[in-house]
Amino acid sequence: MKISDSEKKIMDLVWENGGPVTTAWLTQRLGDTGWKATTILTFLSRLEEKGCLTVEKQGRQNLYRAAVSREDYRREETQSFFQQIHGGSYHSLFAALCAPGQLDAQEVEELRRWFEGGSR
């Protein structure tokens, strides 16, 4: 579920709120973006189509709720990045993250324990 940077701004607000939000609530918090209400409605519609948000009509307003958790979104995006950029290669990923010798012995040991299923 690929979302744009603009759509992510909206999702971040929804996730941070933790409950349902209205267009008016979002518009107030997104005032510094310069987006008009119609632009926000377009983003909300796209997010609903992508399965990121659910919408419930309450009187004359819509209540938007996250349909996916922030953690699930991050996991899915990370997996997509991992496959697309590194072809599923952990070696490629870790080689891009740090150069040989860049980690100290303690960091290497913490990672080894983590890979083996232990805690940090």
Side-chain angles (χ1 to χ4, degrees):
M1 108 192 42
K2 190 70 179 159
I3 64 175
S4 69
D5 290 342
S6 298
E7 292 165 340
K8 186 166 178 312
K9 282 183 184 184
I10 291 172
M11 287 304 299
D12 283 337
L13 288 171
V14 174
W15 285 321
E16 287 164 15
N17 187 58
V21 300
T22 63
T23 306
W25 186 88
L26 287 166
T27 301
Q28 181 181 19
R29 279 147 186 84
L30 293 166
D32 62 336
T33 63
W35 297 340
K36 295 180 180 179
T38 54
T39 301
I40 294 170
L41 287 170
T42 298
F43 289 139
L44 289 169
S45 177
R46 288 180 188 166
L47 287 165
E48 183 186 6
E49 289 171 11
K50 292 176 182 183
C52 297
L53 292 176
T54 61
V55 62
E56 175 189 337
K57 191 84 168 163
Q58 190 175 64
R60 296 187 66 196
Q61 64 183 358
N62 289 334
L63 296 179
Y64 296 92
R65 292 180 188 358
V68 62
S69 71
R70 179 179 270 160
E71 294 75 24
D72 287 345
Y73 170 73
R74 284 180 179 159
R75 188 175 299 109
E76 190 172 321
E77 281 299 299
T78 300
Q79 284 299 318
S80 175
F81 170 82
F82 176 60
Q83 290 298 322
Q84 184 179 13
I85 303 300
H86 296 284
S89 166
Y90 288 103
H91 182 269
S92 172
L93 174 67
F94 289 112
L97 290 173
C98 57
Q102 190 174 3
L103 299 176
D104 64 30
Q106 181 180 350
E107 291 170 318
V108 171
E109 179 61 22
E110 287 175 5
L111 285 170
R112 185 190 61 73
R113 282 196 310 269
W114 183 80
F115 278 117
E116 292 173 353
S119 61
R120 282 185 64 165

